[in-house]
Amino acid sequence: NLELNMPHNFVYKKGFSSAPPLLSTVFLCYTLPMTYLFFDIECANCFDGIGKICSFGYVLCDENFSVIETDDLLMNPAAPFDWYLFKKESRCRLAYSREEYIKNPKFPDYYKKIKSLLESSQRLVLGFGCQNDVATIATECLRYDLDLIDFNCQDIHTVLEKTYDFKGGLSSFVEKFGISTEGMDFHDSR
């Protein structure tokens, strides 16, 4: 067993098979949280080091990893989109058209929903390479003069790299675990 000093007393153990493949290494000792929230953010740009959110996608699961709710909250970033985000050959192409984002409300209209999702008690929040996503939520709160959202997020990317002694992005791990990507867009927050 590889034990890491992380909240919720995680113990990482290869072969735990009752969870989906990317989480098959996670075993929570003591008590399981009642729900898991997986989320991802897409930004219109990160000019001046500040991300402007155009999509907050999430999947909320129960303790057996059954999906309770899933959504992709599209929002008007109130900022220009970086030029490469809509190019067909871009490695980081957004899933929707510029017009689709712009016609939606801005971050403050989704603030209560996002805050509720992230701050709920008995919930473990997870992301893949989520440091920038967490920082972007904070900068959006500051940009719109909203209270910061108080939550902890566990990065499953770090866990997978340490557990499997393997470096790579999400697509590399999906390939390593033999997960079908048919119909999947890696920059679609859903």
Side-chain angles (χ1 to χ4, degrees):
N1 290 347
L2 171 65
E3 293 190 29
L4 303 174
N5 183 17
M6 297 179 74
H8 301 289
N9 299 311
F10 272 179
V11 173
Y12 300 97
K13 188 177 190 181
K14 289 184 182 179
F16 185 73
S17 62
S18 67
L22 280 178
L23 291 177
S24 64
T25 61
V26 179
F27 173 77
L28 299 174
C29 53
Y30 306 118
T31 59
L32 286 169
M34 292 175 62
T35 57
Y36 299 95
L37 179 74
F38 300 87
F39 81 100
D40 186 34
I41 288 174
E42 299 300 332
C43 291
N45 75 60
C46 292
F47 301 153
D48 299 322
I50 298 171
K52 289 78 171 186
I53 299 174
C54 62
S55 173
F56 179 93
Y58 68 92
V59 177
L60 181 62
C61 299
D62 66 16
E63 60 199 27
N64 296 311
F65 295 99
S66 297
V67 175
I68 298 169
E69 178 182 342
T70 183
D71 203 354
D72 194 7
L73 305 175
L74 301 185
M75 53 192 84
N76 181 336
F81 285 87
D82 216 332
W83 65 271
Y84 65 87
L85 294 173
F86 299 103
K87 290 185 64 94
K88 197 162 193 91
E89 61 278 352
S90 177
R91 285 185 39 215
C92 187
R93 189 175 46 116
L94 291 176
Y96 305 93
S97 70
R98 181 184 327 261
E99 295 74 29
E100 192 69 26
Y101 294 106
I102 290 172
K103 75 179 187 182
N104 281 283
K106 296 178 179 126
F107 180 80
D109 291 303
Y110 294 107
Y111 173 78
K112 285 183 181 174
K113 170 78 173 176
I114 293 170
K115 182 177 175 64
S116 172
L117 286 165
L118 295 171
E119 288 187 345
S120 180
S121 66
Q122 297 300 308
R123 176 158 302 153
L124 181 60
V125 179
L126 299 142
F128 189 94
C130 56
Q131 296 95 339
N132 288 337
D133 291 342
V134 171
T136 299
I137 291 169
T139 58
E140 285 290 65
C141 290
L142 295 172
R143 181 162 79 115
Y144 288 104
D145 199 28
L146 300 165
D147 290 337
L148 292 176
I149 298 174
D150 184 18
F151 72 103
N152 292 313
C153 182
Q154 304 304 315
D155 190 343
I156 62 173
H157 185 211
T158 304
V159 172
L160 292 170
E161 283 187 340
K162 289 182 181 196
T163 302
Y164 290 97
D165 194 27
F166 178 82
K167 300 277 185 204
L170 180 59
S171 59
S172 298
F173 278 100
V174 166
E175 185 178 318
K176 178 177 178 55
F177 293 124
I179 299 169
S180 171
T181 59
E182 188 175 332
M184 184 183 289
D185 183 344
F186 282 98
H187 289 282
D188 180 345
S189 294
R190 292 175 282 186

